[in-house]
Amino acid sequence: MDLAPVLEKATAYEPRDRLPMATFRDELAAWLELHPGPVAPAHPAFRQGFRALEAATFDVRRHEAELRRLLPGQLRRLARAQHGQTDQWFRRLWASGIRRMCG
């Protein structure tokens, strides 16, 4: 069973030409019954693209974790440089939502 015609009908430009959601669900369920295991893209370029995406996602998570670790201390240093003190300015900033960004 080929998914291309199902996907083409499901993504038709005109809404009246699209598959109803129930039909789309049934078609996908039938396809999954024929392909129970994980499906890897057939074309090597797609497989490389998935590996690149996984690597980029890993890098983004690593950079985000490092930023969350460094941000509070750097904000305190910035407050000290700009205002001569950190506590009151940093507490207001922290309460305003930076806390959510920092984990």
Side-chain angles (χ1 to χ4, degrees), residues 37-90:
V39 177
H43 196 279
F46 288 135
R47 286 194 295 273
Q48 290 172 350
F50 285 129
R51 280 195 298 274
L53 182 61
E54 287 171 355
T57 302
F58 175 78
D59 284 345
V60 166
R61 287 189 182 131
R62 185 171 51 87
H63 290 300
E64 182 181 1
E66 185 67 8
L67 180 61
R68 288 176 188 272
R69 185 182 72 77
L70 292 173
L71 191 57
Q74 295 303 317
L75 287 173
R76 282 190 176 96
R77 289 181 64 199
L78 178 63
R80 189 176 305 116
Q82 288 185 337
H83 305 288
Q85 51 86 25
T86 61
D87 292 338
Q88 185 179 10
W89 183 83
F90 185 75

Side-chain angles (χ1 to χ4, degrees), residues 16-38:
R16 68 177 178 275
D17 296 335
R18 292 185 200 138
L19 285 176
M21 287 305 291
T23 306
F24 185 57
R25 178 200 61 219
D26 295 342
E27 292 286 342
L28 289 178
W31 186 86
L32 284 170
E33 284 180 18
L34 296 173
H35 304 87

Side-chain angles (χ1 to χ4, degrees), residues 87-101:
D87 292 338
Q88 185 179 10
W89 183 83
F90 185 75
R91 269 191 245 120
R92 274 196 317 247
L93 184 64
W94 193 255
S96 71
I98 292 292
R99 174 179 10 159
R100 287 189 302 271
M101 288 175 40

